[in-house]
Amino acid sequence: MADDGKQSVRLLCRPKQLSKGSDPGIHYWLIGSPFLPPLTIVSILRCINTVPSPTSPDLHKESNELLTLIPKGFQLIGALASGDDTDARAAIDAASQLRKFLYGGGTVEDLPLIGGVSDLDSGDFRFFVCESGNANSRIELVTSIIQEQHPEKFLWENGCMLSCELPIKLPVYYPLKNPTDVEKAYVKATGAVIAKLRDPRAVYMLEALSKTCPDQPPPAIVRGVQLDFHTDLSRTKPLAKGDEGFDASSLSCSYFTISNKAAFSIESADTIQVSVLFNSLGPSSASAAPIAEYIPVLEEARLVVVDIKLDVLCYSSRDLPLRHAVSRLIIPGLIDQLNTMQNFMLPSLLVQHPQLKPYHFSPPGILHPITVFYELSFGETEMKQVDFRKSLHFRLGLPYDRPLLRIANALDFSKLKNGGSASLQKRSALLRDVHIGIPSSGVNGGTLSLVQGSYEYHHYLQDGFNDSGWGCAYRSLQTIISWFRLQNYSSIEVPSHREIQQSLVEIGDKDPSFIGSREWIGAIELSFVLDKLLGVTCKVMNVRSGAELPEKCRELALHFETQSTPIMIGGGVLAYTLLGVDYNDATGDCAFLILDPHYTGTDDLKKVINGGWCGWKKAVDSKGKNFFLHDKFYNLLLPQRPNMV
């Protein structure tokens, strides 16, 4: 192994730390892109399928799962093993074999491979490179490792996405006397669709998906005769400047993209929509009448129509010619999804019609989108789906207490057509996250522990409903429920006062006369409603007086660090929402970030902040004034984050 300081491995993500004493073997796959500089690692995905020997990955299973999970435009570039430097060869060998499973032969085999090694004791990383991609070639140590400081900008400044949705009805005929032939018929029908995608008479229309820019270029047309299915994406050259016209052979993806972008992320990336137009008519100078051909079946047959919807998302350089984007990204992506659906549906095609549908996600910590196939015949809470999502969380390194890969969190690029956001994040006209940017608490040397995730600010007189003087706890509850809703733990709408009262009557906590009343509710009632409507459990903390609240700061800080949910504080007939604490463990000095539901003005952020309706409060301020009264009993409701995926 030679030392070569001329090369650099560039990391757009943080290397995954292996736990001390991890078994030796392949633990992670390294993902890069042909559109980025060589040896650039975009993401690191865990290897989760192994053969009986724990040090050997099951390459067949891994390839089947990674093929659809990783969008076209990203590719496997290496593996990460635990052990010493000699294990770098094993990592490169495993990556080389997996690459053959994923992409077959061809030019991809000549691309460099990275073998990463994590020391079993120290956890330090070392990277080795095999330049030719051939597992038998010499590998060299890379001494220069660059941790990119702005990875989103690095990836998306010169990148874009292509989206293609293609609904298909597959007609499958099979003889009644030999129903097992249905598999051959399905494979034949799939092959016919693939042939149409590659047909020289096929037409692909490309257009900008977002309608926010007033000067959108007209759509471009790519015809099947212009496609090149053998181009090496890593070696494509940008089109000559000024060679721009409406002929797709002279257009690149930059034709549809914005030059000066202010934000860099999956949600804000330029997205090109690709529509497939199957054209069976060719140009002809001769006149001809339409012909219908009748071919009778030789024996009794049955027709099964299989409805499938392909939905492909790809990453591309803005410099890539449109015809290469279609032939080397979109069409291979559609074919992979067709084959995935075929393998899934064939075993039970005659028993039931599996409802398999792809969804795209942008989970935190992963720079590129991922694509997941869900079987919609099963509910999201059924154990088969839960176990499947857990395996995805494990592969991607996601926490198990957040529903990051539920359908409610999927990207929806159809919203871009109306100038919206690709995210399915629910929107409303209410103020959100009003604590962001407020002045500091004034606690010297304190540790901040804040609510994590978005919430809506609910307060008196909203929605044209006069609850002044009695509805503060209702409003605090609405803010808490909005947090669960915006984190996609639930899809229910934020309940009205009457719906909250109705829930308490339905569980037997209140009499029917309670509905429509102006009766105050407290922490216990809030916990009942959260349990009924969301299935959320709560912890209730009792404090005998406001003077004791600072003693609870350590426990409250732990809540925000582990549960992250807003807290309701109730005392007498007043209720507030607690969004965080700033606590100095050494001095005991602390402050509470209070969101006050007693505000009666318009939803104007400046008025809210300048009026002190959201801000830091100390138990006793510099003027000796008590915010939390010493002679008042307080209940704190701490909603617990559901342990769900």
Side-chain angles (χ1 to χ4, degrees):
M1 298 181 188
D3 189 332
D4 185 1
K6 297 180 181 180
Q7 301 184 90
S8 296
V9 169
R10 185 181 297 272
L11 295 170
L12 304 191
C13 57
R14 295 289 177 183
K16 307 287 185 177
Q17 292 292 334
L18 300 178
S19 57
K20 200 169 184 179
S22 296
D23 293 331
I26 309 301
H27 290 276
Y28 292 97
W29 304 115
L30 309 179
I31 308 301
S33 172
F35 305 116
L36 298 176
L39 312 186
T40 298
I41 301 174
V42 180
S43 66
I44 301 177
L45 307 183
R46 187 185 294 272
C47 172
I48 64 174
N49 297 297
T50 58
V51 291
S53 171
T55 60
S56 179
D58 187 328
L59 298 177
H60 180 69
K61 285 186 177 179
E62 286 291 292
S63 63
N64 285 341
E65 295 178 11
L66 293 175
L67 190 63
T68 54
L69 185 72
I70 304 170
K72 297 297 179 185
F74 296 98
Q75 62 188 23
L76 181 84
I77 62 170
L80 177 63
S82 60
D84 54 32
D85 289 358
T86 59
D87 292 294
R89 168 61 68 184
I92 288 176
D93 289 348
S96 177
Q97 295 175 50
L98 181 59
R99 195 153 69 177
K100 291 178 181 178
F101 273 91
L102 287 168
Y103 316 119
T107 56
V108 70
E109 288 190 1
D110 298 327
L111 300 177
L113 280 173
I114 303 174
V117 179
S118 175
D119 187 88
L120 289 173
D121 296 320
S122 67
D124 294 337
F125 290 94
R126 288 161 68 84
F127 291 100
F128 297 82
V129 174
C130 179
E131 277 294 339
S132 69
N134 187 326
N136 296 320
S137 301
R138 190 179 68 159
I139 64 176
E140 300 175 339
L141 173 66
V142 179
T143 56
S144 174
I145 300 175
I146 301 172
Q147 183 70 60
E148 182 60 42
Q149 297 303 308
H150 304 286
E152 292 86 359
K153 183 178 181 181
F154 189 92
L155 183 65
W156 294 108
E157 186 173 34
N158 195 43
C160 63
M161 289 193 296
L162 296 102
S163 173
C164 180
E165 296 182 11
L166 181 61
I168 298 176
K169 290 184 180 291
L170 279 181
V172 179
Y173 295 90
Y174 67 95
L176 284 179
K177 292 182 179 179
N178 194 7
T180 56
D181 283 355
V182 70
E183 295 189 8
K184 296 178 181 177
Y186 188 99
V187 172
K188 184 178 180 181
T190 299
V193 174
I194 294 174
K196 280 189 175 184
L197 292 172
R198 295 173 170 269
D199 195 307
R201 293 171 295 179
V203 175
Y204 296 85
M205 182 174 71
L206 296 89
E207 56 188 326
L209 193 54
S210 175
K211 303 302 183 185
T212 55
C213 181
D215 300 322
Q216 291 287 358
I221 297 295
V222 173
R223 302 185 183 278
V225 293
Q226 299 172 308
L227 300 179
D228 181 354
F229 296 99
H230 305 289
T231 299
D232 181 357
L233 293 178
S234 64
R235 294 184 171 91
T236 55
K237 296 181 180 180
L239 296 171
K241 289 186 177 180
D243 189 17
E244 294 279 344
F246 291 100
D247 179 6
S249 63
S250 63
L251 290 177
S252 66
C253 292
S254 61
Y255 173 71
F256 294 109
T257 59
I258 301 172
S259 299
N260 299 316
K261 295 183 67 67
F264 302 98
S265 66
I266 295 173
E267 289 81 3
S268 62
D270 293 312
T271 304
I272 302 170
Q273 178 176 275
V274 182
S275 301
V276 184
L277 309 174
F278 292 122
N279 181 17
S280 60
L281 298 177
S284 176
S285 59
S287 300
I291 299 174
E293 188 176 6
Y294 171 64
I295 304 176
V297 295
L298 301 179
E299 55 184 318
E300 189 176 2
R302 177 170 292 174
L303 168 65
V304 175
V305 178
V306 182
D307 285 317
I308 60 177
K309 182 179 180 181
L310 308 181
D311 188 348
V312 169
L313 192 61
C314 307
Y315 172 79
S316 172
S317 164
R318 295 172 53 188
D319 297 327
L320 185 69
L322 294 179
R323 59 194 183 95
H324 294 333
V326 172
S327 59
R328 299 294 285 129
L329 298 175
I330 292 295
I331 293 178
L334 293 170
I335 292 174
D336 284 347
Q337 288 196 0
L338 274 170
N339 291 330
T340 295
M341 291 191 173
Q342 174 180 291
N343 295 335
F344 184 86
M345 291 185 174
L346 281 184
S348 57
L349 187 60
L350 295 181
V351 180
Q352 62 179 356
H353 281 255
Q355 301 176 45
L356 199 64
K357 185 179 178 183
Y359 292 92
H360 308 297
F361 296 89
S362 174
I366 308 293
L367 290 178
H368 58 75
I370 62 165
T371 301
V372 179
F373 279 84
Y374 281 135
E375 166 56 278
L376 301 184
S377 302
F378 300 99
E380 284 198 292
T381 58
E382 293 190 39
M383 284 309 301
K384 184 172 183 178
Q385 292 284 57
V386 172
D387 290 342
F388 175 59
R389 287 197 302 274
K390 281 183 178 179
S391 70
L392 288 172
H393 278 241
F394 184 57
R395 184 185 288 283
L396 299 171
L398 302 176
Y400 291 105
D401 61 349
R402 303 186 186 186
L404 299 171
L405 300 181
R406 290 205 172 199
I407 293 173
N409 253 331
L411 299 171
D412 183 5
F413 289 93
S414 65
K415 292 188 174 183
L416 290 176
K417 297 178 182 178
N418 300 317
S421 168
S423 172
L424 283 185
Q425 193 69 255
K426 306 166 182 69
R427 302 301 304 179
S428 75
L430 302 182
L431 293 176
R432 282 193 187 180
D433 310 330
V434 295
H435 70 285
I436 295 177
I438 65 171
S440 62
S441 69
V443 174
N444 293 322
T447 299
L448 276 174
S449 302
L450 300 174
V451 63
Q452 298 175 31
S454 290
Y455 61 88
E456 294 170 336
Y457 179 27
H458 290 263
H459 57 80
Y460 278 170
L461 304 187
Q462 271 180 339
D463 309 316
F465 184 74
N466 186 359
D467 57 344
S468 181
W470 61 274
C472 51
Y474 292 83
R475 297 299 187 179
S476 182
L477 175 60
Q478 289 175 333
T479 293
I480 292 171
I481 291 178
S482 77
W483 184 94
F484 282 98
R485 184 171 180 267
L486 293 174
Q487 269 55 246
N488 288 303
Y489 284 105
S490 174
S491 59
I492 70 164
E493 297 294 327
V494 174
S496 65
H497 294 55
R498 188 177 185 87
E499 289 168 336
I500 293 170
Q501 292 171 341
Q502 179 72 40
S503 297
L504 292 170
V505 171
E506 288 176 358
I507 65 173
D509 181 66
K510 302 292 184 183
D511 295 328
S513 60
F514 178 65
I515 299 175
S517 71
R518 294 192 169 195
E519 290 187 33
W520 196 85
I521 58 175
I524 300 301
E525 287 89 350
L526 265 65
S527 69
F528 290 160
V529 175
L530 287 171
D531 182 41
K532 174 175 171 54
L533 297 183
L534 306 182
V536 168
T537 59
C538 298
K539 178 181 178 181
V540 177
M541 182 188 298
N542 298 316
V543 182
R544 288 178 295 180
S545 73
E548 288 188 7
L549 269 174
E551 299 175 11
K552 301 294 184 181
C553 264
R554 186 180 288 107
E555 191 173 347
L556 294 173
L558 181 62
H559 169 86
F560 287 114
E561 291 163 7
T562 59
Q563 304 300 320
S564 315
T565 64
I567 294 173
M568 193 281 285
I569 300 180
V573 294
L574 298 176
Y576 302 94
T577 306
L578 179 63
L579 301 178
V581 294
D582 192 355
Y583 178 56
N584 186 318
D585 193 30
T587 64
D589 191 17
C590 64
F592 303 85
L593 182 54
I594 298 294
L595 183 66
D596 195 337
H598 302 92
Y599 174 63
T600 57
T602 58
D603 287 333
D604 184 319
L605 182 59
K606 287 186 178 180
K607 290 183 179 179
V608 171
I609 300 302
N610 293 338
W613 299 101
C614 180
W616 290 100
K617 311 291 182 183
K618 289 193 173 185
V620 180
D621 64 20
S622 58
K623 298 179 181 179
K625 184 178 179 181
N626 299 324
F627 181 78
F628 299 108
L629 300 180
H630 284 232
D631 59 349
K632 185 175 290 185
F633 186 89
Y634 286 90
N635 287 321
L636 287 81
L637 184 78
L638 287 66
Q640 306 298 291
R641 185 198 295 270
N643 188 16
M644 59 191 295
V645 294

